[in-house]
Amino acid sequence: MKISVELTLTPLHDDFEPAIIHFIKKLRASKLKVLENPLSTQVYGDYNEVMQVLTSEIKEAFELIERGLLYMKIVKSDRHDYEPHF
């Protein structure tokens, strides 16, 4: 089953950029399709593969920050090629 996941990591402390950059670079290093914009990062792929990578990388990201939030949306389909029709 293919899924699309939108992630927003929000460390709740000063000097937050290094943690976000590290998280995104780790996602890029996976074999998954990763797209980014200024507000979030999207990951696309097979459910089991995506969730395995996210489980590991979210845990590491949380270990590297003092406090933080991670917003995650999951869609059951691969939406990497979505283009609005309006």
Side-chain angles (χ1 to χ4, degrees), residues 30-46:
S30 72
K31 297 178 182 179
L32 303 173
K33 178 151 185 79
V34 177
L35 299 176
E36 302 142 28
N37 65 51
L39 300 176
S40 66
T41 301
Q42 295 82 41
V43 181
Y44 306 91
D46 179 72

Side-chain angles (χ1 to χ4, degrees), residues 40-59:
S40 66
T41 301
Q42 295 82 41
V43 181
Y44 306 91
D46 179 72
Y47 179 88
N48 290 331
E49 293 174 41
V50 171
M51 296 310 286
Q52 182 178 11
V53 168
L54 291 181
T55 297
S56 172
E57 298 310 330
I58 290 169
K59 181 179 179 185

Side-chain angles (χ1 to χ4, degrees), residues 4 33 35 44 77-86:
S4 303
K33 178 151 185 79
L35 299 176
Y44 306 91
S77 68
D78 185 336
R79 307 287 292 169
H80 82 273
D81 58 356
Y82 170 78
E83 291 187 29
H85 301 288
F86 54 86

